[in-house]
Amino acid sequence: MWRPCGTFDDTYEKDISIVRTPAQWSITVAGLAVLAVLPLFASGYFMTTVNLIAISIISAQGLGILTGLTGQISLGQGAFMGVGAYTLMMLMNYLGFSFWLALPCAMVSAGIIGLIFGLPSLRIKGFYLAMATLSAQFIIPWVITNVRPDLTGGTSTINIQYPSLFGLDLSKQSSMYYVIIFFTIAILYLTRNLARSKIGRAFVAIRDNDLAAEIMGLEVFRYKLLSFTICSMYAGLAGSLWVLWVGAVNVDSFTLHESIWFLGMIIVGGLGSIPGVCFGVIFIRVLELFVQQISPPIAALFPDAIGAAIKSGLSPFTFGLVILLFLIYEPRGLAHRWEIVKHFYRRWPFSY
Amino acid sequence: MTAEDQTKLKVEDLNLSFGSVQALMDVSFEVNGDEILALIGPNGAGKTSLLNCVSGFYHAQRGRVSFEGHDISRFSPSKRAKLGISRTFQNIELYTGLTALDNLMAARHVYIKYGPVAGSFFFGKARREEVENRKVVEEIIDLLEMEEVRYRVVESLPYGLRKRVDMGRALALHPKLLLLDEPMAGMNVEEKEDMARFILDIHELWKIPIIIVEHDMGVVMDICHRVVVLDFGLKLAEGTPAEIKQNEKVIQAYLGKE
Ligand SMILES: Nc1ncnc2c1ncn2[C@@H]1O[C@H](COP(=O)(O)OP(=O)(O)OP(=O)(O)O)[C@@H](O)[C@H]1O
Ligand SMILES: [Mg+2]
């Protein structure tokens, strides 16, 4: 490991702190300042995108903990977001909860459902576990649409009343942004801590060698379930913020499609890296928007039938291609590129 | 019998089979006080299987394992680790994606009490416990002379150093019984001498019983107090190194004539 030049730790306290050099402090402060003033300069459309990315980062960080750190694959992240979203909506609309009270409840309910769907991980691994979590992605939307459509609205959209915060109305993208980005930054901070704590080490130990981990005193089953729970609590938070973002909830937002995109984001970003996950989310979300923008003009160049196919097919095609290219050429993801840049900067001008 | 001579580990009539392969047959022995016990025997004799039964990775079909007077035969591996049984692995089973330091810190797990919420905030108790345990781990890093590789990801370390990290991780658990499965296999003479020195240092410092599986009879003679010989799952002999060297059966089955 290469650390910032000239930094020598005289105590272990310092050695385990996150932000260590003055340069890192300035970058952190500058970054936060930019985020704070962003809505003053950006358009509503831009803020909509920023909000989507910020929400996706929360969910993807959850999946990053489960898949990247603990090595358990889940194809249900979208569905767990749905659990959070619907819990929030129902608590607000039928029980009169405020958004702020419903939010933690939504996280807990998503956490419990995630824990239940994580139970198969005690017996099965890898591909089989992926199939087991896939069942969440079928069962949960089915329950939402069919069990109590009078409450969940079935397949139709249900609105919520926009919350407010200290009298500030949160119905505009530029104002809800502050709530969303607050949670995103908080989640990044908490995740970073969790990853370097006893818990994070246990997760990676299980990922790298679960048999040795058990023999070295780790209750592997407890940690796997904990990882599933944390992952889906993050999803519950993201799902709740999604409801705020749209102002409504619809089951179509939480499909298998979304779950796979989340896996794609953490693969592109680099499994097990927190900044990597952020890069991955931004990369995929921006790519998605870009493809949405360019596919109508491209489709217009072709006859109707082919044009329609291009319009609907370009996005999944690009996504598939990007994942494939990353798996082949940079399996360690954007995080690895980032490390290379950082090392170069730290050792400059002595490149070797 | 003084306190030092107490029976730490007692293995009684262990039977373990894999299908038709009988890996262990009625194996019994004891480890007392703070002795260093060598477990020797030809390839496939059942040495690793025996350690696996003690650390809980295998459950014997018949027989009993007791540690400090308690029957632990049905305990899970993690529970045995908490009781103070720690081990290294013949084929090095490290957490390859973690640094050497974090491999050792991960083994401190049983001593670190804070939970996921405290871990997420990393204040107060969590930070204090991290620092305390870091100090313990640094002592072991010192002892095994691995300061240079602290922050290296284990995957990138050469074989000899990985063996050392494996040893460090076993020690980080602060065991009351240490099981070493061929700690010197595949090492050159110099590395073997280092490792033997480390084992003696630890023994001197902590006064704990150690079981070593080892093929190099020179090492066994030098550092072990007693020897148990296995052959095809059977206990062939038991005694001091000098006795074992003279034992006809052992010479025939394993040592060969000089
Ligand atoms: N998990 C397993 N499944 C099937 N057979 C096994 C298993 N583990 C061990 N055996 C068999 O049990 C016997 C004893 O193996 P073990 O690994 O304990 O020998 P060993 O004395 O450690 O040998 P070595 O010196 O080669 O390490 C061998 O015949 C081996 O094939
Ligand atoms: Mg062996």
Side-chain angles (χ1 to χ4, degrees):
Chain A
M1 191 175 102
W2 289 89
R3 295 190 290 157
C5 192
T7 313
F8 296 103
D9 303 304
D10 34 15
T11 65
Y12 299 133
E13 275 93 342
K14 274 194 207 149
D15 193 36
I16 58 180
S17 54
I18 300 178
V19 185
R20 34 175 23 130
T21 61
Q24 285 172 334
W25 271 111
S26 353
I27 293 172
T28 310
V29 171
L32 289 176
V34 169
L35 288 178
V37 298
L38 192 61
L40 305 179
F41 304 103
S43 70
Y45 175 75
F46 187 82
M47 290 318 293
T48 310
T49 309
V50 171
N51 286 340
L52 172 63
I53 288 174
I55 293 169
S56 306
I57 284 177
I58 294 176
S59 193
Q61 288 296 350
L63 193 60
I65 291 173
L66 182 67
T67 304
L69 291 187
T70 325
Q72 313 295 305
I73 295 177
S74 166
L75 282 169
Q77 193 67 351
F80 298 136
M81 282 174 73
V83 173
Y86 274 87
T87 307
L88 180 97
M89 179 277 284
M90 290 194 286
L91 287 177
M92 285 178 71
N93 287 7
Y94 306 125
L95 296 179
F97 278 46
S98 74
F99 177 82
W100 309 108
L101 189 59
L103 187 77
C105 301
M107 288 177 71
V108 170
S109 91
I112 292 170
I113 302 293
L115 171 78
I116 292 169
F117 280 99
L119 286 172
S121 70
L122 306 185
R123 303 301 296 272
I124 53 180
K125 293 183 195 178
F127 177 71
Y128 297 96
L129 180 61
M131 295 310 285
T133 56
L134 186 59
S135 71
Q137 197 54 65
F138 288 103
I139 294 170
I140 290 169
W142 183 87
V143 169
I144 289 172
T145 30
N146 294 306
V147 173
R148 288 296 297 273
D150 53 323
L151 295 179
T152 57
T155 52
S156 52
T157 304
I158 302 242
N159 293 320
I160 59 147
Q161 178 142 39
Y162 278 106
S164 61
L165 184 64
F166 308 125
L168 176 71
D169 172 32
L170 295 181
S171 64
K172 284 225 303 279
Q173 291 290 332
S174 55
S175 52
M176 70 175 69
Y177 161 81
Y178 286 105
V179 172
I180 295 171
I181 206 76
F182 166 79
F183 280 112
T184 306
I185 291 170
I187 282 293
L188 289 177
Y189 176 74
L190 297 178
T191 310
R192 181 71 188 79
N193 279 334
L194 190 74
R196 70 199 173 117
S197 77
K198 159 200 182 187
I199 320 285
R201 285 191 299 263
F203 285 165
V204 179
I206 290 168
R207 177 193 73 188
D208 287 350
N209 199 329
D210 54 347
L211 295 176
E214 177 79 31
I215 287 180
M216 297 316 292
L218 266 108
E219 306 91 339
V220 169
F221 73 98
R222 259 191 51 203
Y223 280 99
K224 280 186 182 173
L225 293 184
L226 179 64
S227 187
F228 267 99
T229 309
I230 295 173
C231 168
S232 40
M233 282 179 83
Y234 282 27
L237 174 60
S240 302
L241 294 174
W242 182 286
V243 180
L244 172 68
W245 181 59
V246 184
V249 53
N250 186 298
V251 71
D252 283 344
S253 311
F254 311 110
T255 54
L256 176 61
H257 181 90
E258 275 298 305
S259 295
I260 293 176
W261 280 78
F262 279 119
L263 269 184
M265 288 169 190
I266 64 172
I267 289 172
V268 167
L271 288 176
S273 157
I274 291 169
V277 168
C278 297
F279 297 145
V281 172
I282 295 169
F283 184 88
I284 294 283
R285 286 294 188 210
V286 169
L287 182 74
E288 192 182 9
L289 281 178
F290 177 70
V291 172
Q292 264 170 27
Q293 299 288 329
I294 61 161
S295 44
I298 293 181
L301 301 176
F302 292 90
D304 278 355
I306 302 174
I310 288 178
K311 227 188 226 166
S312 64
L314 199 58
S315 163
F317 178 78
T318 321
F319 178 73
L321 188 68
V322 165
I323 302 286
L324 207 62
L325 291 177
F326 264 94
L327 286 176
I328 295 170
Y329 293 108
E330 188 51 287
R332 281 171 293 186
L334 292 168
H336 184 232
R337 295 278 129 196
W338 168 242
E339 286 298 321
I340 292 174
V341 173
K342 246 178 17 185
H343 284 189
F344 180 77
Y345 162 77
R346 279 184 188 164
R347 290 192 255 168
W348 192 85
F350 313 105
S351 25
Y352 278 100
Chain B
M1 200 150 91
T2 64
E4 284 77 50
D5 298 330
Q6 264 173 8
T7 303
K8 286 282 163 52
L9 180 78
K10 191 165 178 179
V11 172
E12 293 164 279
D13 302 321
L14 271 197
N15 277 272
L16 178 75
S17 53
F18 301 98
S20 61
V21 180
Q22 188 82 25
L24 296 172
M25 264 180 281
D26 294 324
V27 175
S28 304
F29 69 93
E30 287 177 6
V31 183
N32 303 311
D34 62 350
E35 66 180 338
I36 302 183
L37 180 85
L39 197 56
I40 65 171
N43 291 106
K47 305 178 297 293
T48 300
S49 303
L50 185 54
L51 290 197
N52 284 341
C53 287
V54 174
S55 64
F57 184 46
Y58 291 165
H59 285 283
Q61 277 94 1
R62 227 153 23 84
R64 219 146 70 109
V65 181
S66 322
F67 180 63
E68 296 186 325
H70 305 285
D71 183 354
I72 58 165
S73 309
R74 304 253 65 89
F75 283 19
S76 71
S78 63
K79 204 159 172 199
R80 296 184 199 204
K82 277 189 197 120
L83 287 178
I85 300 178
S86 179
R87 68 172 294 180
T88 66
F89 297 85
Q90 186 169 0
N91 300 317
I92 316 181
E93 305 280 347
L94 290 169
Y95 313 132
T96 43
L98 288 175
T99 60
L101 175 66
D102 279 342
N103 265 274
L104 269 59
M105 283 299 282
R108 294 298 296 170
H109 178 268
V110 300
Y111 297 99
I112 305 181
K113 298 292 173 231
Y114 68 79
V117 176
S120 298
F121 286 96
F122 221 81
F123 283 149
K125 184 170 170 230
R127 185 172 287 267
R128 212 164 46 240
E129 281 193 274
E130 284 292 314
V131 172
E132 275 164 18
N133 284 282
R134 174 70 186 272
K135 281 182 192 145
V136 175
V137 163
E138 286 294 336
E139 276 165 23
I140 291 163
I141 289 178
D142 245 20
L143 194 74
L144 298 184
E145 296 162 14
M146 352 190 282
E147 294 88 347
E148 314 278 288
V149 297
R150 237 195 231 109
Y151 298 112
R152 291 268 299 276
V153 173
V154 163
E155 214 167 17
S156 67
L157 293 178
Y159 176 84
L161 279 168
R162 270 185 285 145
K163 271 283 201 217
R164 217 183 279 187
V165 177
D166 195 21
M167 175 75 125
R169 186 181 59 174
L171 295 180
L173 211 70
H174 265 186
K176 293 191 200 135
L177 169 67
L178 183 60
L179 316 173
L180 305 175
D181 199 348
E182 309 207 5
M184 297 162 205
M187 290 186 162
N188 60 33
V189 178
E190 201 181 322
E191 288 172 324
K192 271 188 188 179
E193 277 170 3
D194 278 343
M195 197 48 105
R197 185 162 51 83
F198 295 144
I199 294 170
L200 289 175
D201 282 351
I202 293 151
H203 185 254
E204 175 75 10
L205 209 60
W206 291 353
K207 309 261 184 291
I208 52 168
I210 303 175
I211 303 181
I212 302 181
V213 175
E214 185 49 61
H215 283 291
D216 186 330
M217 280 312 286
V219 173
V220 171
M221 297 296 152
D222 279 352
I223 68 175
C224 298
H225 306 129
R226 227 149 49 78
V227 183
V228 167
V229 188
L230 285 183
D231 187 29
F232 289 111
L234 278 169
K235 187 169 93 174
L236 204 60
E238 182 175 353
T240 63
E243 286 165 9
I244 293 299
K245 230 175 163 178
Q246 306 302 326
N247 189 308
E248 274 307 316
K249 281 197 283 185
V250 179
I251 293 172
Q252 271 190 0
Y254 181 51
L255 296 179
K257 292 253 170 6
E258 257 138 57

